Amino acid sequence: MSLLVDMMTNTLDPGYAEAAARRARTGAPDVPPRALRRAAAAAAAVLAGLILVTASSETRRSAPSVARARADLVGQVQQRTSEVTALQGQILALSAKVAQLRQAGLAGSSSGRSLVARLADLQMAAGAVPVTGPAVRVTLTDAKLPAGPTDPTQQDQGGQVLDSDLQHVVNALWASGAEAVAVNGQRVTALTSIRAAGDAIVVDFRPVDPPYVVTAVGDPDTLEQSFVSSSAAAALRTYSQAYGLGFVVKGLSGATLPAAAAPALYAAQPGAVPTPSTGGSS
């Protein structure tokens, strides 16, 4: 009977009664904890939605300006490249004219003609003049990836032409007796750098696109045979068989390589120009 009496007279558990009294003393609203959690979750969801909407709006507003800035940069690069190409053409034309005048002025004496011949040898070694002759052409191409999902590291394992591959080909051609070398039409000299810039390959800071064509002028009887027997060619054949990298060597009856860009002089100083003798025997 005491249990029934307690239930009739004490309607709240002592713990609930104490919590109710505490809320009454502090003036806190009588809100169940579950309702508070729901309200907090709803507020957080609304705040997250506002942040996403704001970020999306900002991205849409900034996209046109980013595209315009990129287009402007691309246009400037193309314009400067065209200007550099035009200036290099002027340099080559003026250099050819200077060479003609120099040869005409020195051709009147044996010492002058000897000087012209020595200068021609030095210019060819320095890549300062175009050269023509029998050649060997080495073509390198990236491996073709199969259609569909592929392993993204496949080309990194040997199917992609690297700057080091071009370096090895050029060095092997020099060692095989090449007298002049060019990569994609750009003359290579002792001062030429072949480097990687991200995914691109640059020759003297100018990008070259695949296929990569290395042309070397030299003795047709020994140049091709010596290069094919080199360690660089053996490594590229291995890459070709294992990964599908393109590697083709072909002999040419004739090829013309352009002159290299004029090098920057750091230590040279103008000197006295010797006057050739006009009384020598011819």
Side-chain angles (χ1 to χ4, degrees):
M1 294 295 296
S2 60
L3 177 59
L4 293 175
V5 173
D6 290 340
M7 292 178 64
M8 295 297 294
T9 57
N10 299 322
T11 58
L12 291 178
D13 181 88
Y16 286 103
E18 182 181 354
R22 185 168 57 252
R23 284 195 298 270
R25 289 194 302 269
T26 59
D30 190 8
V31 181
R34 183 176 298 178
L36 288 175
R37 289 196 296 268
R38 289 178 178 175
V46 172
L47 180 60
L50 290 175
I51 293 175
L52 290 176
V53 170
T54 303
S56 176
S57 177
E58 290 295 331
T59 301
R60 285 196 298 269
R61 283 198 295 267
S62 62
S65 61
V66 172
R68 286 194 299 270
R70 184 180 185 279
D72 290 342
L73 289 175
V74 171
Q76 292 179 22
V77 170
Q78 293 175 345
Q79 180 182 355
R80 298 296 186 270
T81 301
S82 300
E83 293 175 355
V84 169
T85 302
L87 291 174
Q88 288 179 340
Q90 294 179 16
I91 291 173
L92 294 177
L94 292 174
S95 298
K97 185 175 182 179
V98 169
Q100 292 176 355
L101 294 174
R102 180 174 56 240
Q103 185 171 2
L106 296 176
S109 65
S110 58
S111 60
R113 290 191 294 271
S114 177
L115 183 59
V116 169
R118 174 172 169 74
L119 182 60
D121 292 339
L122 294 175
Q123 285 179 323
M124 188 178 71
V129 292
V131 296
T132 300
V136 172
R137 183 175 62 199
V138 181
T139 304
L140 302 177
T141 54
D142 294 334
K144 294 182 179 179
L145 294 177
T150 58
D151 183 359
T153 63
Q154 180 175 349
Q155 284 197 334
D156 293 340
Q157 296 173 351
Q160 185 177 10
V161 179
L162 305 177
D163 58 325
S164 57
D165 296 326
L166 289 180
Q167 293 171 9
H168 294 157
V169 168
V170 170
N171 290 336
L173 287 170
W174 285 126
S176 299
E179 299 177 8
V181 180
V183 177
N184 282 29
Q186 294 190 50
R187 188 73 170 272
V188 175
T189 69
L191 301 178
T192 300
S193 62
I194 301 176
R195 295 287 185 269
D199 293 333
I201 298 178
V202 294
V203 178
D204 266 351
F205 304 103
R206 300 190 66 177
V208 292
D209 299 321
Y212 305 102
V213 180
V214 184
T215 307
V217 171
D219 186 349
D221 297 329
T222 60
L223 180 57
E224 182 177 359
Q225 181 179 0
S226 180
F227 172 75
V228 170
S229 303
S230 66
S231 59
L236 289 170
R237 283 194 296 268
T238 300
Y239 299 153
S240 178
Q241 296 171 0
Y243 307 109
L245 183 145
F247 173 55
V248 178
V249 181
K250 183 179 181 180
L252 304 176
S253 59
T256 299
L257 306 185
L265 300 179
Y266 299 100
Q269 297 179 359
V273 178
T275 304
S277 173
T278 58
S281 57
S282 60

